[in-house]
Amino acid sequence: MLRYYRWQLAADAHHRTGRAVPLPGGTPGLGTRTVVRHWPVVRDELEAGRPVPLGVVTARGLDVRRIARHHQVLAWGYRREGATVVLRVYDPDQGPRDDVTIRFRDATPAAGTAFGHDLGIAGGVRGFFRTGYRPVPPPT
């Protein structure tokens, strides 16, 4: 929960320097965090054939009650359409559909990254991060 809240408080674009690579005194925005730090890890896991649980950040601001607006999905594949990444996800709010996506460009994220989506949520996506998951076998 704390991670969602920290991301909720962050700006969408890089602060102070306006560069994709954070410089001393600058704070990376959610576009930089998502595209530079988290997307490569997610991509590598997907290319290795492993689905990746994602925390999807939607809300912004100080109000801690907005944490309930964030979402979780399971990334299971991706494709490129030119400069756009189309991340294929399972959204528990959409049922057994396999056509749900999050779309973004993975170049120059410092100015803020626009995320398109057809998730079962109201509002926009500001960024995402890989969440921890440890499988637990069902009882026998």
Side-chain angles (χ1 to χ4, degrees):
M1 289 298 219
L2 183 58
R3 188 177 205 184
Y4 281 101
Y5 189 63
R6 284 194 312 254
W7 278 54
Q8 179 177 311
L9 296 174
D12 291 331
H14 188 76
H15 277 43
R16 207 155 171 232
T17 63
R19 297 175 190 243
V21 178
L23 297 175
T27 303
L30 294 189
T32 299
R33 290 182 193 183
T34 299
V35 173
V36 174
R37 295 181 185 170
H38 295 273
W39 165 238
V41 174
V42 170
R43 181 193 60 223
D44 290 349
E45 289 288 313
L46 293 173
E47 288 178 356
R50 293 184 289 270
V52 182
L54 301 176
V56 179
V57 177
T58 60
R60 69 174 41 112
L62 294 171
D63 188 347
V64 73
R65 295 172 296 186
R66 292 182 184 164
I67 288 175
R69 296 182 186 173
H70 303 303
H71 199 51
Q72 284 192 304
V73 298
L74 183 68
W76 58 272
Y78 81 96
R79 68 180 183 275
R80 286 200 165 274
E81 293 178 355
T84 301
V85 174
V86 180
L87 187 58
R88 302 181 77 183
V89 299
Y90 168 73
D91 178 358
D93 290 354
Q94 300 272 12
R97 293 178 49 192
D98 67 356
D99 61 343
V100 180
T101 61
I102 299 172
R103 298 167 302 284
F104 60 96
R105 296 174 71 97
D106 62 350
T108 63
T113 301
F115 293 92
H117 71 87
D118 49 13
L119 302 173
I121 59 173
V125 169
R126 298 181 58 219
F128 61 81
F129 54 85
R130 182 175 188 230
T131 62
Y133 174 75
R134 185 175 5 175
V136 176
T140 55

